Amino acid sequence: MRITAKGITETNKHLQEMVARVKSLKPAMEAGALDIKKLVDDAFYKSIDPNTGTAWQPLAESTIKKRRQGSSKPLIDTGRLRGSIATKAGDKSITYGTNVVYGGPHQFGTKKIPQRRFLPTDFSTGPASATAQKIVRRILNYITKGVAK
């Protein structure tokens, strides 16, 4: 009796290609960075916490009266904060944030400013969880198929 394994050469080649892709996941990370940017944009558009999906606390009437555009939408008056969100993809990571100084007080809250998280910090629930799952799928597709879809 004899048993012959077929396709070993092709399988080995495929495995070597996957090993090479694991060294730099940048194509998948670049697509993932866009996913995070969209998550943050959606949070601003819907006025929700990207971690939980809960609505941001509405603005006080006194705050609305002081705004340049008269908008009652939290965190959107000039669009500076929303427009400052940047993402950067590395070989195995995604960095994101803002350089606008008043972003921190809004993200974390203060005695006078209610917390209105606009950046995801917890990817285990809500909209952020769905984004994290999408990024994981992109990484797996990139490793196994060479495509970051």
Side-chain angles (χ1 to χ4, degrees), residues 51-144:
N51 302 287
T52 63
T54 57
W56 290 335
Q57 183 174 329
L59 294 176
E61 280 300 318
S62 58
T63 302
I64 295 169
K65 289 177 184 176
K66 294 177 194 174
R67 299 185 102 191
R68 294 176 199 136
Q69 306 299 322
S71 170
S72 63
K73 212 161 167 68
L75 300 188
I76 299 177
D77 186 19
T78 65
R80 181 173 175 227
L81 179 60
R82 184 179 190 174
S84 74
I85 305 304
T87 59
K88 182 178 179 185
D91 287 338
K92 295 185 180 181
S93 65
I94 300 169
T95 306
Y96 58 95
T98 178
N99 62 356
V100 173
V101 295
Y102 55 83
H106 288 289
Q107 175 76 14
F108 301 106
T110 68
K111 289 180 183 179
K112 294 184 177 184
I113 300 172
Q115 182 181 41
R116 293 185 181 100
R117 289 186 292 198
F118 56 92
L119 293 174
T121 56
D122 178 0
F123 288 90
S124 65
T125 63
S129 175
T131 297
Q133 291 171 22
K134 188 175 188 179
I135 293 169
V136 167
R137 283 192 305 274
R138 287 185 189 285
I139 293 168
L140 292 174
N141 280 337
Y142 178 68
I143 292 170
T144 59

Side-chain angles (χ1 to χ4, degrees), residues 1-61:
M1 282 179 82
R2 181 178 200 189
I3 297 174
T4 304
K6 294 186 179 188
I8 296 295
T9 303
E10 294 82 15
T11 300
N12 187 44
K13 181 183 174 202
H14 185 64
L15 289 172
Q16 292 304 317
E17 290 168 351
M18 288 193 300
V19 167
R21 285 192 291 267
V22 167
K23 292 178 183 174
S24 176
L25 302 171
K26 195 160 189 173
M29 294 296 137
E30 287 171 341
L34 294 175
D35 293 332
I36 290 176
K37 180 78 166 106
K38 183 179 181 324
L39 173 66
V40 175
D41 284 345
D42 287 349
F44 276 98
Y45 180 73
K46 297 175 184 176
S47 298
I48 62 167
D49 182 326
N51 302 287
T52 63
T54 57
W56 290 335
Q57 183 174 329
L59 294 176
E61 280 300 318

